[in-house]
Amino acid sequence: MRGTGRLYNFAAGPATLPPEVLAKARESLGDWQGLGYSLLETPFSSDEFISLMETTRNQIKSALALPDDYQVLLLQGGASAQFSLVPLNLLPATATAGYVETGHWSTRAFEEGRRYARARLVASSRTSQFDRIPPVDHWALSDDLQYCHITSNETANGVQFHADPSCGDIPLVADMTSDFLSRPVDIRRYGLIYAGTQKNLGPTGLVIVIIRDDLLDRARPETPTVFNYQRQLERQNRVNTPLMFAVYLVHLMLDWLTEQGGLTSIHARNIAQSRALYRVIDEDDFFQCRVLPGHRSMMNVCFGLARPQLQQRFVSEAADRGLLNLTGHSHAGGLRASLYNAQPDAAVAALAAFMTDFRQRYG
Ligand SMILES: Cc1ncc(COP(=O)(O)O)c(C=O)c1O
């Protein structure tokens, strides 16, 4: 037991979820839709489940205002599987793809992508230790690129694209795992978006793929059928048994997002929450954020202490006050507060107050 106060979970994903969504999810473990059994026991070919999949895809289309030539797939394997499945579905083995390296996850995507194609880095902020997004007019784009891959939010490093870059005619592919549906996007800039759902939408293992029609039906023959975008689209995502409970959770989270006022409202809240923490960090040198202003993530606030020997004390005193999971990613170190859509304002206020108090006592 951690005392009697309210607990706030700042984990980077799986992450905190709205209590009302969890309550509804629990109800589905009883009699789901009057069928007499739970969602977990429902045939995936039933009208009820087919309709749930359809509704969920339509909710994603409407949240992002997707034009008719963009399709939505709900696949298994999480976001990491897409590091391989994007090249397998889009590229012949001899083709070249470009990657923008901005931190841990884009490096992972690039390393995996180069196993399947002639992947090359078109820009990288490695030499400045991933403290920024390289400006798009400095990217080494060339006509031979079949796509250009970005990671819109670097979960481990706390760096984020705040505008959708334009790559001209080169299809832009984005791993949006950690900022999907956190802000409106200019969808026409993208050829393909993928996002694991364990940050803003709840479940692990499920990945949403949004693909423009002209990029479909290009898969290499050896692409596993269950991961072939065209085959899954033709079979309405039922080439194999879908992640039914995960799809339901995403559906509930999309309902919740609408109740919050949609992407414009949630974006304003995300900006306000992250600013509140960066303000405390920037007050003096006690806390430090290495990411340049203007490039900082509103989802994952990554920071450290000028005296790193205080870090363990910070984490354990925070936990004593119900502020949980503030340790940074194992590759990046330091501290990290993740502020996904479902993070309540009260959590951010409590953390900001704790940080101010901690500085007063140890600064
Ligand atoms: C930006 C980004 N991409 C990919 C992944 C990997 O996701 P998964 O564990 O679903 O494969 C993560 C996980 O945190 C992530 O943050």
Side-chain angles (χ1 to χ4, degrees):
M1 281 295 289
R2 292 182 188 270
T4 51
R6 169 100 201 250
L7 299 185
Y8 293 117
N9 179 6
F10 292 92
T16 197
L17 290 172
E20 59 272 33
V21 166
L22 290 174
K24 280 190 197 149
R26 269 193 291 274
E27 277 170 28
S28 75
L29 301 181
D31 180 359
W32 189 59
Q33 297 206 3
L35 291 172
Y37 40 74
S38 73
L39 168 63
L40 296 183
E41 300 156 294
T42 301
F44 76 94
S45 55
S46 63
D47 290 346
E48 289 78 7
F49 184 69
I50 290 175
S51 154
L52 170 65
M53 287 275 269
E54 186 64 19
T55 304
T56 307
R57 281 192 296 260
N58 286 336
Q59 286 177 296
I60 294 165
K61 287 182 185 170
S62 105
L64 285 167
L66 293 187
D68 288 345
D69 58 332
Y70 285 79
Q71 311 302 330
V72 177
L73 295 166
L74 305 167
L75 302 177
Q76 308 198 11
S80 304
Q82 295 303 316
F83 298 163
S84 332
L85 296 171
V86 166
L88 275 172
N89 272 279
L90 300 193
L91 293 179
T94 52
T96 308
Y99 283 77
V100 179
E101 189 188 40
T102 47
H104 174 76
W105 288 107
S106 52
T107 305
R108 291 272 301 266
F110 171 61
E111 293 297 343
E112 191 66 15
R114 69 199 302 194
R115 299 179 61 218
Y116 298 93
R118 290 188 190 146
R120 78 172 163 81
L121 289 181
V122 299
S124 173
S125 55
R126 179 178 287 277
T127 52
S128 59
Q129 293 165 350
F130 303 129
D131 65 347
R132 69 194 69 190
I133 301 292
V136 66
D137 49 344
H138 290 158
W139 297 2
L141 298 174
S142 53
D143 291 342
D144 60 325
L145 298 180
Q146 302 290 306
Y147 64 75
C148 179
H149 181 283
I150 63 167
T151 302
S152 57
N153 181 66
E154 287 283 3
T155 324
N157 306 78
V159 189
Q160 186 176 19
F161 282 81
H162 290 290
D164 305 295
S166 168
C167 291
D169 290 338
I170 303 165
L172 181 62
V173 171
D175 173 1
M176 287 199 185
T177 297
S178 52
D179 65 352
F180 188 60
L181 297 183
S182 67
R183 64 176 177 92
V185 297
D186 182 355
I187 191 70
R188 279 282 171 216
R189 296 257 159 115
Y190 297 92
L192 188 148
I193 291 170
Y194 62 93
T197 51
Q198 69 272 32
K199 320 287 186 186
N200 277 329
L201 291 173
T204 60
L206 179 66
V207 60
I208 294 169
V209 175
I210 296 172
I211 181 165
R212 209 174 55 209
D213 283 348
D214 60 295
L215 299 176
L216 283 162
D217 217 4
R218 296 183 178 198
R220 293 186 206 168
E222 68 268 28
T223 308
T225 310
V226 294
F227 293 128
N228 180 310
Y229 300 152
Q230 177 71 29
R231 296 288 94 75
Q232 282 285 13
L233 186 69
E234 285 163 3
R235 298 284 308 280
Q236 294 174 316
N237 261 146
R238 284 181 285 117
V239 171
N240 55 333
T241 313
L243 289 166
M244 298 176 60
F245 191 69
V247 171
Y248 185 60
L249 213 49
V250 167
H251 158 67
L252 295 178
M253 280 302 291
L254 288 158
D255 276 350
W256 178 86
L257 182 61
T258 306
E259 284 159 22
Q260 306 308 302
L263 290 188
T264 309
S265 303
I266 211 80
H267 187 208
R269 189 194 299 173
N270 289 331
I271 291 174
Q273 289 190 356
S274 55
R275 278 197 186 146
L277 290 193
Y278 287 121
R279 202 175 303 123
V280 176
I281 291 166
D282 287 341
E283 252 168 54
D284 60 22
D285 291 338
F286 183 77
F287 293 109
Q288 301 185 331
C289 173
R290 325 181 20 268
V291 181
L292 301 181
H295 302 244
R296 294 175 173 179
S297 171
M298 57 177 184
M299 298 276 96
N300 310 100
V301 176
C302 295
F303 61 106
L305 287 147
R307 284 187 284 147
Q309 61 274 27
L310 285 175
Q311 182 168 312
Q312 209 33 56
R313 186 181 291 260
F314 179 92
V315 172
S316 80
E317 285 194 16
D320 288 344
R321 297 204 195 178
L323 307 169
L324 307 177
N325 297 319
L326 286 161
T327 304
H329 187 274
S330 52
H331 283 262
L335 299 160
R336 171 174 59 178
S338 294
L339 310 178
Y340 298 119
N341 288 354
Q343 193 63 274
D345 289 343
V348 180
L351 178 56
F354 168 70
M355 288 168 71
T356 304
D357 174 59
F358 191 84
R359 172 168 36 213
Q360 264 160 14
R361 287 184 292 117
Y362 296 104

